[in-house]
Amino acid sequence: MEILIGLIIIAVGAFCQSSCYVPINKIKDWSWESYWIVQGVFAWLLFPLLGALLAVPEGRSLGELLAASDPFNVWMTILFGALWGVGGLTFGLSMRYLGVALGQSIALGTCAGLGTIMGPVLLNIFFPELDALSSLTFSVILGVVVTLIGIAIIGVAGSMKSASLSEEEKRAAVKDFNFPKGLAIALLAGFMSGCFNVGLTFGADINFGDLTPDMYKTLPATFLVTLGGFVTNAVYCFYQNSKNRTWGDYRKGAVWGNNLVFCALAGALWYSQFFGLSLGKGFLTESPTLMTLSFCILMALNVVFSNVWGIILHEWKGCSRKTINVLVAGIIVLVISCFLPQLI
């Protein structure tokens, strides 16, 4: 029962993340770079900081925790967060050229597989005595493979969509639809986004041990990863503000109230995925396989719900029944991938 509760919590977080682009559509009269960094203040700084504070017992402080932790692990966690930030930037572009459904499917699918594998591999390189590779069991690898199969099926559906629709129909569903360009960007976004889980792996011990409840133990590392990502995004967005002369966005007082509310909502929904991941893992401690695979499960569920939103937003409108059947088959495979390793 606890395992089921953990998976449900992760699923709720995934649904929230997949919904975070909906409030962004309500932002008015701001350029992409302006609203992206403002929502990032909430998504990558404020909410992760509040989450990290939940892992700090009474009488202790977050600063004390970071000072007592291995500096190498702290900086590696931040470094991989900065690399993940590159993935976050290109992730947004994949939505632009492929839409919410297909863009998230390809990017998150790549992220799911690489993120799960890269963490133990890199940890083994730096700390071979930890035998991190032992966590990559047959069940874990099977879960990753099945997830990638599901993503591949959805990718086929996307290719069928691209081939079957006219340019006008593509633009009606996704204004800047460009499958080849979007595919390349989504694959890059997925590779770099996988660094998030690598950062969590290096920061796994950044907590107060037995004084921190299991469900909160990854939250300080999550904050460090998103902190690194915020720096990367801030540098790029402020560069774009200068290049495009959009600093004036921040002086548009008439839209600040509206935009701040929807940026905050988008940030809260985005952070919910990793807050849910931490809470969910607290219920999965009796299953080492699911603990290792939890990041992959989160990404798979993100893909499932993003395609649900894609259907709601009419991104698949005009596609043939065969294309929709392939899409649904991919979604079913992804759902199966969440539970299959536990049955082996």
Side-chain angles (χ1 to χ4, degrees):
M1 178 59 72
E2 285 200 350
I3 287 177
L4 180 59
I5 293 174
L7 291 175
I8 290 175
I9 292 173
I10 292 175
V12 171
F15 176 77
C16 290
Q17 187 280 335
S18 300
S19 307
C20 73
Y21 287 92
V22 177
I24 282 178
N25 291 330
K26 301 293 185 180
I27 295 173
K28 301 177 180 178
D29 204 23
W30 273 3
S31 61
W32 177 88
E33 57 268 21
S34 299
Y35 75 67
W36 189 252
I37 195 59
V38 172
Q39 69 85 31
V41 170
F42 294 98
W44 310 319
L45 286 183
L46 180 58
F47 290 119
L49 175 60
L50 294 176
L53 293 176
L54 292 175
V56 179
E58 187 176 355
R60 299 293 187 82
S61 70
L62 186 59
E64 176 188 350
L65 171 61
L66 298 179
S69 299
D70 186 335
F72 178 81
N73 286 341
V74 171
W75 285 110
M76 288 297 282
T77 303
I78 296 174
L79 171 63
F80 279 101
L83 294 176
W84 159 77
V86 176
L89 288 169
T90 48
F91 188 83
L93 288 176
S94 70
M95 305 300 107
R96 175 180 177 181
Y97 294 117
L98 296 177
V100 173
L102 189 56
Q104 288 206 54
S105 297
I106 296 174
L108 293 178
T110 309
C111 175
L114 293 178
T116 301
I117 302 298
M118 286 194 302
V121 169
L122 291 176
L123 196 64
N124 187 73
I125 293 174
F126 289 100
F127 304 104
E129 68 277 6
L130 298 179
D131 192 25
L133 291 179
S134 63
S135 65
L136 298 179
T137 62
F138 172 77
S139 295
V140 170
I141 298 299
L142 177 64
V144 172
V145 170
V146 175
T147 298
L148 293 180
I149 290 174
I151 299 300
I153 294 173
I154 291 176
V156 170
S159 180
M160 293 169 65
K161 170 188 176 182
S162 179
S164 65
L165 299 180
S166 66
E167 289 300 317
E168 292 75 16
E169 289 173 318
K170 293 174 187 177
R171 298 292 184 271
V174 180
K175 182 180 178 181
D176 297 316
F177 187 83
N178 186 320
F179 186 71
K181 186 175 184 179
L183 177 62
I185 293 174
L187 289 174
L188 174 63
F191 176 77
M192 298 304 292
S193 295
C195 292
F196 197 108
N197 198 44
V198 179
L200 292 182
T201 302
F202 275 98
D205 293 329
I206 303 177
N207 54 66
F208 283 98
D210 293 338
L211 296 178
T212 300
D214 288 338
M215 63 179 61
Y216 297 149
K217 282 187 175 178
T218 65
L219 293 178
T222 300
F223 169 63
L224 293 178
V225 173
T226 58
L227 175 63
F230 177 80
V231 172
T232 303
N233 280 265
V235 169
Y236 181 78
C237 288
F238 292 153
Y239 165 75
Q240 289 296 315
N241 280 140
S242 296
K243 178 183 176 181
N244 300 327
R245 299 180 180 179
T246 52
W247 289 108
D249 287 347
Y250 307 116
R251 295 193 295 271
K252 296 176 180 178
V255 298
W256 255 106
N258 174 84
N259 291 358
L260 200 63
V261 167
F262 287 111
C263 281
L265 180 57
L269 289 172
W270 183 92
Y271 176 65
S272 295
Q273 64 179 315
F274 293 110
F275 186 72
L277 177 64
S278 183
L279 296 185
K281 288 174 71 172
F283 290 90
L284 303 179
T285 53
E286 294 184 2
S287 175
T289 295
L290 290 182
M291 286 288 286
T292 302
L293 202 57
S294 57
F295 183 80
C296 188
I297 291 173
L298 173 65
M299 295 300 110
L301 291 172
N302 280 344
V303 172
V304 169
F305 291 121
S306 68
N307 277 284
V308 172
W309 274 114
I311 293 172
I312 294 173
L313 296 174
H314 305 295
E315 292 180 357
W316 295 91
K317 184 178 180 180
C319 293
S320 67
R321 181 178 295 275
K322 183 178 180 180
T323 300
I324 298 301
N325 288 340
V326 173
L327 172 66
V328 172
I331 292 174
I332 292 173
V333 171
L334 287 177
V335 173
I336 292 174
S337 73
C338 298
F339 299 95
L340 182 61
Q342 186 62 19
L343 302 177
I344 301 300

